[in-house]
Amino acid sequence: ALLPDEDAATKLVAALPPTRSAAFERRWEPWHRLNLRWQADGAWPWCTTALLALNLAVFLGMLLERIGNPVLDASFLLSWGANFAPRTADGQWWRLFTAMFVHLSPLHLLMNAWVLWNVGQLVERLFGRVALLGIYLGAGLLGGLASIAWNPVVVSAGASGAVFGLLGALLACLANRRSGAPR
């Protein structure tokens, strides 16, 4: 109920032009074509949804394990697969992967989840599922490597590198005008 009553809604509708102008049609048409193309694909961005669900499930598992003691300290994060240069470089390379799904706090998870949901759906539609997954995992792994190179004595975790990779791919695609998305 954005309007106070039915009378206000009727007045608003009466104030709108009865037809679309030619200028409006020119600006709307490219967006309309893009929307029709995506609707024709009929594909729900399930890969983005699955990545989001995996991030949420891991954090929920972490919280359930810490019932009564919600502090997520370094040793607990390491037990869940967080990244730490001395362990990662000593043969536990799998931490570069698992750290993408371990988060430091609810706010950390929420911010990464918000970006993943909003950018991931668009990237999945523009590039496809396989490319989305490749970009996400590749950027996340590189982010983990950068983290241990930049500050090897800090325990790091989160999907930030992965979601920044998705954002970078989206920006590069739009800058190169290869997406078919209107300017």
Side-chain angles (χ1 to χ4, degrees), residues 20-33 182:
R20 298 181 194 176
S21 69
F24 175 85
E25 288 294 339
R26 279 192 305 277
R27 294 193 73 189
W28 167 247
E29 182 56 32
W31 287 105
H32 183 63
R33 281 195 315 269

Side-chain angles (χ1 to χ4, degrees), residues 41-129:
D41 291 345
W44 172 257
W46 64 263
C47 193
T48 299
T49 306
L51 287 170
L52 182 60
L54 184 56
N55 277 281
L56 294 172
V58 168
F59 196 74
L60 180 61
M62 291 170 63
L63 290 179
L64 289 174
E65 187 176 323
R66 297 300 280 200
I67 288 177
N69 182 11
V71 176
L72 305 179
D73 59 9
S75 63
F76 179 72
L77 293 168
L78 287 170
S79 74
W80 274 83
N83 196 9
F84 183 54
R87 290 191 183 183
T88 305
D90 194 33
Q92 296 180 11
W93 293 104
W94 50 267
R95 290 182 177 279
L96 294 172
F97 175 78
T98 56
M100 281 185 266
F101 301 97
V102 175
H103 286 81
L104 307 174
S105 70
L107 181 61
H108 184 218
L109 172 68
L110 258 163
M111 296 306 292
N112 280 323
W114 182 77
V115 175
L116 174 57
W117 182 248
N118 287 287
V119 175
Q121 289 184 76
L122 188 53
V123 169
E124 187 168 346
R125 286 189 167 120
L126 290 172
F127 291 92
R129 291 181 179 97

Side-chain angles (χ1 to χ4, degrees), residues 160-174:
S160 300
V163 297
F164 274 114
L166 293 177
L167 189 56
L170 175 62
L171 292 175
C173 179
L174 295 175

